[in-house]
């Protein structure tokens, strides 16, 4: 299983860890972790690095 850590592009701060699913709905990015917890972030995907399990979002 490949789990990711999601970072805010602006300051490289961690938004969410152990992310197993990412959905995009317009300007909302829905993040779900392995425990089923969900977080909705307004922003856009900047990059997804599957080899290093790093996702970067452009958001406030």
């Amino acid at each position: 299983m490949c789990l990711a850590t999601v970072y805010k592009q602006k300051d490289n701060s961690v938004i969410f860890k152990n992310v197993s699913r990412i959905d995009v709905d317009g300007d909302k990015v829905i993040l779900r972790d392995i425990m089923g917890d969900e977080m909705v972030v307004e922003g856009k995907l900047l990059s997804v690095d599957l080899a290093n399990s790093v996702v970067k979002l452009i958001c406030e």
Side-chain angles (χ1 to χ4, degrees):
M1 181 183 297
C2 181
L3 301 174
T5 301
V6 179
Y7 297 89
K8 189 184 297 185
Q9 182 264 346
K10 183 178 180 180
D11 60 6
N12 227 23
S13 61
V14 173
I15 296 173
F16 211 41
K17 291 184 177 182
N18 298 318
V19 174
S20 61
R21 182 179 176 108
I22 300 171
D23 294 299
V24 177
D25 182 14
D27 64 346
K28 292 185 173 113
V29 180
I30 301 118
L31 308 168
R32 289 184 190 92
D33 72 6
I34 56 173
M35 300 303 290
D37 292 331
E38 183 175 289
M39 175 185 282
V40 178
V41 179
E42 286 195 35
K44 295 181 182 183
L45 280 173
L46 176 65
S47 65
V48 178
D49 180 350
L50 297 176
N52 293 304
S53 300
V54 171
V55 175
K56 292 205 176 180
L57 297 181
I58 298 172
C59 60
E60 287 302 312

